[in-house]
Every structure is written in structure tokens, then in C-alpha cells.
Amino acid sequence: MQDLSVVPEASQTPVWINGKIVDWKNAYIHIFSHVISYGSGVFEGVRVYETPKGTAIFHLTDHLDRLDLSAKSFGMKLPYSRHEFVEAHKEVVRASGHAHGYLRPQIQFGVSSRITLAATDATDVTIIFQPLGQYRATKELKVVTSEVERISPKSGDVEAKIAGYYTNPHYNHLFANKKGADEAIMLDINGNVAEASSSNVFYVKDGELYTPKTGYILKGITRKTLLELAEKELGMKTHEVVMSPEDLRSGDEIFLSGTAAEIDPVVEIDGTQISNGKIGDVTQKLTDLYGKVTSGTLPGYEQWLTYVN
Ligand SMILES: Cc1ncc(COP(=O)(O)O)c(C=O)c1O
């Protein structure tokens, strides 16, 4: 058995599994589960923040909508109503005793009568919670353009968040590490910029904001949030485009966005410094705005928060 003391903080938090809160030590699914061999799970990563009105889950509705889409696309069904599942998320956070962290709801194919790739009707539904501060060790990133291609729309539904797909970002990480970079930017089947391993990509040029259009990327919830904040709060023009690697490298600023990592400024791409090796002005402004909406201190965005109490 693996040494479980490697996750000291998470091991303090109970887990929701098939409708019940259980102690972390007893949070098991069976080794014969289909998901273990085939990565046949759909999941979300959701952040929890402390706000003046109490602990809140950020964009829970959007995450659960995306989970539903992933499940539908993969031929799975969540055996709980939306109301029950929202309540389950609140329950896990309350039971954790933490006001800040990361939730991971997952629906996964379970045990079938024999070992087969054919899907089973049995699903296990789990929600784990982990106290989480800053996601990456480094905030200001050096990135490289990856030789690992993003899974294409011809290989599956790229807008579904499926556990097995994440072998692709894993190879991307290995590529980045070999090149001495923090992250790598994956290209799509046409050689255009898609996204990073678990984040979407943006660049700022002449005061306008650019991000790859949908079709070859995960439709990031942080991506959508930042496009809205840039337009409404900063009055910026935003563009969802077919983006070549050269377009990206020409940016005055580059940053990555994702629920876990939030906003990470890129200070070097393919060995070339970006925005003098520092976080750029627009990236800083968006980071500040994102901090305000997630902490419930920017009026007008209350609807993005689901309070756990
Ligand atoms: C492949 C990929 N792209 C982008 C993102 C960013 O999406 P979001 O902002 O919804 O977390 C994620 C994270 O879930 C991801 O896994």
C-alpha cells in the first residue's frame, strides 16, 4: 500500500462518495472499476473562496453544466438531481472545515461483470476537497511551444473533461520539464495554438485581448470570466481567434488561465522574454479583478458565488 501520509492536509478532509460523507481513510472505489483501466471518468475542478458573506463556491453552476455535458458526451448519467448535487458540494466543504480550496466532483464507470472495454451502467460519483492556496510553485512562467499535439476533435469530444484525456497534458508536462520550462503550449491539429496542459492561453497586443477560439480547446470557465471582465470592467476589445504560434509570440503580454492556477503571467516563451520578464499591466489588472470577484468584493458578480451555509 502506498504511503498515504503524502497528502497530510487532504487526509484531514472527509470525502463524499455515492451519496455519503466518509472518512478520507475509507474513501475507496474498487480496483476492478472500469475507470482504473480506461480513465473513464468525467470530472471538474472547482475553487472555493472565503468571502465577507462566508465560504463560497465559485461558478458552481457553470462547472456542473460542463460536467453534465461531459457526462452526456461520454454516455454517462449523473444519478442525482442538480439540487442534490449542489447540496453535496456544500456538504463536503462544510465538513472539511476549510474556507478555501479545491473541489473535484467526478463521475466514473464502476465495476462490471467482467473485464471489458464495453462501458458499464454502474457509476461511482465522488466529490473530494483539498485545501489549496497557490496551485503552481512558480507564478511567473517560462513556457515553450510543445511538440505534443493537443487531442484533436477527431479523437473525441474536446470540450468534454474526461479523465483519460489527461495523459495528453501529462506528456506535455514531460516535454516542458525536459526543456527546462514550467509549461508548454500545445498546438492543435492544424498547428495553431490550442492551450496549455490545464489552462487556456491569452495574449494582449496594443491594448486588446486575444485567445484561441473554441473548437480545439476546453471551454474554460476562467477564460469566459476573464473575457467578460476585460470587456465590462476594463472596456477592452476581446477577440476569439485562430492563433498561430507567431501571433502568440508577438504578444505584449501573455498569460494562462484556469480554475486551479487562476491567472499565471508568462514571462518567457521559447527563450524570448515577454513584458520585460514581469507581469504586464493588463494581466495585473485582470488578476486584481479576478481576485475581487472570487472573494465577493466586486459588486455585480454575486451570481457567480454559491454560499455553502
Ligand atoms: C485542458 C484544460 N484547458 C483549460 C482549462 C481551464 O478551464 P477552467 O478555466 O474551466 O478551469 C482546464 C482546466 O480545467 C483544462 O484541463
Side-chain angles (χ1 to χ4, degrees):
M1 183 77 163
Q2 192 201 332
D3 172 13
L4 296 180
S5 63
V6 291
V7 278
E9 268 200 300
S11 65
Q12 310 293 313
T13 67
V15 171
W16 189 95
I17 179 158
N18 294 326
K20 287 197 202 88
I21 292 269
V22 300
D23 194 81
W24 190 89
K25 289 195 294 298
N26 304 319
Y28 288 108
I29 57 166
H30 200 276
I31 186 75
F32 269 48
S33 297
H34 193 276
V35 65
I36 305 268
S37 295
Y38 306 116
S40 53
V42 298
F43 71 101
E44 277 300 315
V46 189
R47 275 261 188 191
V48 174
Y49 293 94
E50 200 165 358
T51 80
K53 290 192 188 162
T55 305
I57 308 175
F58 189 59
H59 272 316
L60 183 60
T61 306
D62 285 310
H63 283 286
L64 295 184
D65 285 348
R66 190 168 65 188
L67 187 72
D68 280 348
L69 285 178
S70 301
K72 196 164 169 221
S73 138
F74 207 56
M76 281 177 162
K77 199 166 168 351
L78 177 67
Y80 299 97
S81 69
R82 174 60 66 95
H83 174 73
E84 285 166 337
F85 209 41
V86 166
E87 289 306 308
H89 283 75
K90 294 183 186 174
E91 197 185 348
V92 181
V93 178
R94 284 196 302 264
S96 78
H98 289 271
H100 208 267
Y102 186 75
L103 283 162
R104 162 70 42 93
Q106 182 149 332
I107 314 170
Q108 48 240 311
F109 280 137
V111 177
S112 55
S113 51
R114 63 191 177 88
I115 295 174
T116 166
L117 183 57
T120 148
D121 284 341
T123 51
D124 287 307
V125 184
T126 53
I127 310 172
I128 60 179
F129 176 87
Q130 182 166 33
L132 183 68
Q134 186 178 309
Y135 176 66
R136 297 185 212 270
T138 325
K139 209 49 195 155
E140 299 184 344
L141 305 180
K142 291 184 179 171
V143 304
V144 285
T145 305
S146 186
E147 286 167 14
V148 179
E149 192 176 274
R150 168 67 163 98
I151 286 180
S152 98
K154 291 183 176 171
S155 312
D157 178 354
V158 293
E159 293 182 356
K161 202 166 159 60
I162 295 171
Y165 284 0
Y166 282 76
T167 51
N168 178 233
H170 176 73
Y171 278 114
N172 197 49
H173 259 302
L174 292 179
F175 178 86
N177 293 159
K178 270 191 223 144
K179 298 281 177 189
D182 305 302
E183 258 291 355
I185 307 292
M186 288 189 281
L187 305 182
D188 66 25
I189 37 166
N190 304 314
N192 293 310
V193 173
E195 59 191 344
S197 53
S198 56
S199 23
N200 294 114
V201 183
F202 287 83
Y203 75 84
V204 180
K205 191 159 178 149
D206 300 329
E208 301 189 3
L209 189 60
Y210 297 81
T211 194
K213 70 186 187 73
T214 58
Y216 299 90
I217 60 169
L218 188 79
K219 274 193 200 165
I221 292 165
T222 320
R223 171 186 180 277
K224 190 171 116 196
T225 303
L226 295 177
L227 287 171
E228 190 170 335
L229 289 174
E231 282 170 19
K232 284 200 189 148
E233 301 297 326
L234 301 179
M236 289 179 78
K237 274 199 181 143
T238 65
H239 310 271
E240 296 177 57
V241 295
V242 174
M243 184 187 291
S244 71
E246 294 72 32
D247 293 336
L248 180 63
R249 284 194 285 265
S250 78
D252 302 325
E253 300 176 30
I254 300 177
F255 61 88
L256 308 183
S257 75
T259 298
E262 303 174 318
I263 301 165
D264 283 327
V266 170
V267 295
E268 187 185 299
I269 181 163
D270 297 326
T272 302
Q273 208 177 57
I274 295 288
S275 65
N276 297 321
K278 296 193 297 270
I279 183 167
D281 282 353
V282 173
T283 313
Q284 185 64 62
K285 282 184 187 150
L286 285 170
T287 303
D288 294 344
L289 284 168
Y290 194 73
K292 285 185 184 161
V293 290
T294 55
S295 62
T297 55
L298 190 70
Y301 298 91
E302 274 274 300
Q303 70 282 8
W304 289 350
L305 298 165
T306 301
Y307 293 97
V308 305
N309 283 307

